[in-house]
């Protein structure tokens, strides 16, 4: 049985109130038999990712519009709000543990600057050709990293999120897998993850390759099969190729701006740019080792110099012709992130017409979308495709 739009809106309305007050209490009931989790919580469905609701709503770094990103609090809220999939970004510690941070520079996402014992760790490094000054996960053991607390990355835009500064530690990916497995058992449904390897060539050069330890963890937790409840993603195609030789879980190549080159291409002197990869021949090459792409939305709906949307490209049609899923990034509620077409007023932190933006994105035929605001995305997805979800999922 499917749930109608009005009922879904009522449920998500309660979720919005929960997000606003800091209470994440939406309980999930039983799922349909086809979606039930295995004993590990990883879950194996006959159809795998093709059985996900369409369009799929992916909690970008959790529910990072409401909680500091890549914390268990952010992941839990995204799940409670109803996100179909929840994203993690992985970087390593000095002793080889995989932890969830958007970048290896943790100066802006933890309280490391307040720890005098780590003042000497502040340094400048070149990461993928960019000079970065800060504190880096690869210079900390896991035990040292666990003495830090997470904080809001963009407090000027998300001042309310600073209320939760210090509430959570930096999670390891294994902790996230255990959390997802517990939630899967509790809810009697699989919890889907979308896992990115960050700067894989940079870390491999340091002797901290990401793919092998990631594959070991996936195998340990039953998420290594083609129908496992996980996507693996990277901006470096070679990382996805490496993962394709280690596990069978579905894989996604992330694509940045058209004129850029993946860093592994830079190192290999591969002249292709993202503009080449989104052509039919580039997409056919990607389809040889991946099941999807995660393009920046600008590759689907370019913006002009004033930030307004132009005519759509043929990327959705061309990718679908190669059998590839499209999970573009990133939809957010705030004016500062929205195309000019959907902004309201001049306050960059104020919410614009995010629902109109989502409708425009879904109209392009995408399969899913990353969003910092899963509740907004779910309401928009339900309005676009009523009854897309089984009851109580």
């Amino acid at each position: 049985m499917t749930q109608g739009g009005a009922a879904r809106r009522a449920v998500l309305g309660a979720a919005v109130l929960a997000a606003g007050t800091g209470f994440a209490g939406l309980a999930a009931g039983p799922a349909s038999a086809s979606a039930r989790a295995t004993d590990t919580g990883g879950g194996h469905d006959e159809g795998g990712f093709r059985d996900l609701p369409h369009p799929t709503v992916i909690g970008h770094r959790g529910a990072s519009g409401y909680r500091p990103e890549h914390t268990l609090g952010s992941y839990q809220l995204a799940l409670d709000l109803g996100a179909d999939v929840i994203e993690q970004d992985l970087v390593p510690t000095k002793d080889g543990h995989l932890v969830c941070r958007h970048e290896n520079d943790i100066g802006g996402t933890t309280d490391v600057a307040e720890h005098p014992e780590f003042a000497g760790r502040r340094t400048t490094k070149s990461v993928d050709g960019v000079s970065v000054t800060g504190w880096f996960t690869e210079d900390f053991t896991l035990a040292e990293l666990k003495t830090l607390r997470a904080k809001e990355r963009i407090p000027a835009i998300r001042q309310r999120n600073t209320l939760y500064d210090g509430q959570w530690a930096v999670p390891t990916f294994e902790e996230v897998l255990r959390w997802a497995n517990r939630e899967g058992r509790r809810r009697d449904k699989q919890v889907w993850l979308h896992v990115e390897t960050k700067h894989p060539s940079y870390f491999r050069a340091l002797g901290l390759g990401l793919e092998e330890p990631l594959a070991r963890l996936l195998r340990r937790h039953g998420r290594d099969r083609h129908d496992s409840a996980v996507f693996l993603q990277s901006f470096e195609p070679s990382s996805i190729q490496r993962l394709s030789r280690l596990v069978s879980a579905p894989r996604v190549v992330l694509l940045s701006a058209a004129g850029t080159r993946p860093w592994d291409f830079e190192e290999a002197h591969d002249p292709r740019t993202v503009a080449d990869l989104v052509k039919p021949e580039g997409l056919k090459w990607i389809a040889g080792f991946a099941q999807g792409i995660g393009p920046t939305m600008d590759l689907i709906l370019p913006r002009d110099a004033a930030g307004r949307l132009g005519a759509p490209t043929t990327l959705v049609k061309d990718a679908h012709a190669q059998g590839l899923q499209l999970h573009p990034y990133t939809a957010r509620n705030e004016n500062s992130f929205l195309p000019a077409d959907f902004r309201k007023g001049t306050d960059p932190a104020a919410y614009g017409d995010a629902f109109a933006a989502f409708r425009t994105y879904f109209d392009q035929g995408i399969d899913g979308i990353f969003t910092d605001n899963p509740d907004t995305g779910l309401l928009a997805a339900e309005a676009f495709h009523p009854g897309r979800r089984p009851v109580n999922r």
Side-chain angles (χ1 to χ4, degrees):
M1 181 183 294
T2 57
Q3 181 170 299
R8 184 64 187 165
R9 289 185 183 91
V11 172
L12 282 170
V16 173
L17 291 175
T21 58
F23 297 101
L26 279 184
S32 60
S34 65
R36 288 177 182 166
T38 64
D39 289 342
T40 65
H44 301 300
D45 278 353
E46 183 178 350
F49 66 86
R50 298 189 187 280
D51 285 342
L52 283 166
H54 189 281
T56 303
V57 175
I58 305 161
H60 184 236
R61 312 176 196 174
S64 53
Y66 311 117
R67 300 290 186 272
E69 65 190 32
H70 289 313
T71 59
L72 287 176
S74 184
Y75 299 151
Q76 184 69 52
L77 181 57
L79 186 61
D80 288 343
L81 290 174
D84 302 314
V85 186
I86 301 170
E87 186 200 32
Q88 296 77 46
D89 296 330
L90 303 186
V91 293
T93 64
K94 183 178 182 178
D95 47 349
H97 295 274
L98 299 181
V99 295
C100 300
R101 291 287 87 187
H102 177 55
E103 291 291 343
N104 52 328
D105 173 18
I106 54 174
T109 61
T110 73
D111 63 355
V112 64
E114 300 171 22
H115 286 252
E117 68 272 25
F118 298 135
R121 305 278 178 94
R122 189 172 188 266
T123 186
T124 299
K125 300 188 179 190
S126 178
V127 181
D128 293 0
V130 178
S131 180
V132 182
T133 299
W135 291 263
F136 298 85
T137 59
E138 65 267 26
D139 296 331
F140 290 76
T141 65
L142 179 59
E144 290 173 330
L145 202 63
K146 282 294 188 180
T147 66
L148 308 179
R149 309 299 289 181
K151 68 177 187 179
E152 172 57 35
R153 180 177 60 88
I154 47 174
I157 299 295
R158 293 173 173 167
Q159 193 274 332
R160 289 184 178 182
N161 289 15
T162 64
L163 173 65
Y164 305 99
D165 286 356
Q167 292 297 308
W168 296 285
V170 174
T172 67
F173 183 53
E174 183 151 36
E175 288 170 340
V176 172
L177 286 167
R178 290 171 181 163
W179 163 80
N181 293 343
R182 286 195 305 271
E183 289 293 325
R185 291 190 295 269
R186 184 173 75 84
R187 297 164 184 258
D188 195 23
K189 80 179 192 74
Q190 55 193 347
V191 174
W192 276 80
L193 306 177
H194 216 305
V195 185
E196 180 181 350
T197 58
K198 299 293 293 191
H199 311 298
S201 293
Y202 167 83
F203 286 120
R204 185 163 294 278
L206 298 178
L208 292 169
L210 301 175
E211 294 84 3
E212 291 80 7
L214 171 55
R216 286 194 294 271
L217 287 171
L218 293 173
R219 287 192 290 267
R220 186 181 305 165
H221 290 269
R223 291 178 181 260
D224 59 317
R225 290 174 32 175
H226 71 92
D227 56 353
S228 293
V230 63
F231 293 96
L232 307 178
Q233 53 173 333
S234 183
F235 281 100
E236 295 189 22
S238 63
S239 181
I240 296 301
Q241 289 174 316
R242 188 181 297 273
L243 283 166
S244 75
R245 296 189 290 270
L246 296 170
V247 294
S248 298
R251 300 169 297 279
V252 173
V253 174
L254 300 173
L255 299 168
S256 190
T260 64
R261 294 166 68 197
W263 185 248
D264 54 342
F265 282 21
E266 295 275 2
E267 291 197 332
H269 305 292
D270 187 325
R272 290 176 296 171
T273 66
V274 169
D276 296 309
L277 295 182
V278 297
K279 294 177 181 177
E281 56 268 32
L283 294 168
K284 181 178 180 180
W285 176 73
I286 290 173
F289 56 89
Q291 289 69 48
I293 58 172
T296 174
M297 186 59 71
D298 290 351
L299 292 173
I300 297 172
L301 285 167
R303 301 190 198 188
D304 63 18
R308 300 187 69 85
L309 295 179
T313 69
T314 62
L315 178 55
V316 174
K317 175 179 67 71
D318 293 341
H320 282 163
Q322 297 299 332
L324 293 168
Q325 297 270 300
L326 289 96
H327 292 170
Y329 63 92
T330 305
R332 299 174 168 106
N333 287 357
E334 295 91 354
N335 280 328
S336 58
F337 302 115
L338 286 167
D341 315 60
F342 308 114
R343 296 172 195 159
K344 291 184 176 181
T346 58
D347 181 357
Y351 282 6
D353 192 353
F355 288 112
F358 271 106
R359 174 72 196 203
T360 301
Y361 302 152
F362 293 149
D363 276 341
Q364 307 312 307
I366 62 176
D367 301 287
I369 193 165
F370 288 89
T371 177
D372 291 7
N373 308 92
D375 51 344
T376 309
L378 287 159
L379 280 169
E382 173 66 21
F384 180 77
H385 187 184
R388 66 178 202 106
R389 302 163 63 85
V391 173
N392 292 326
R393 273 193 67 183

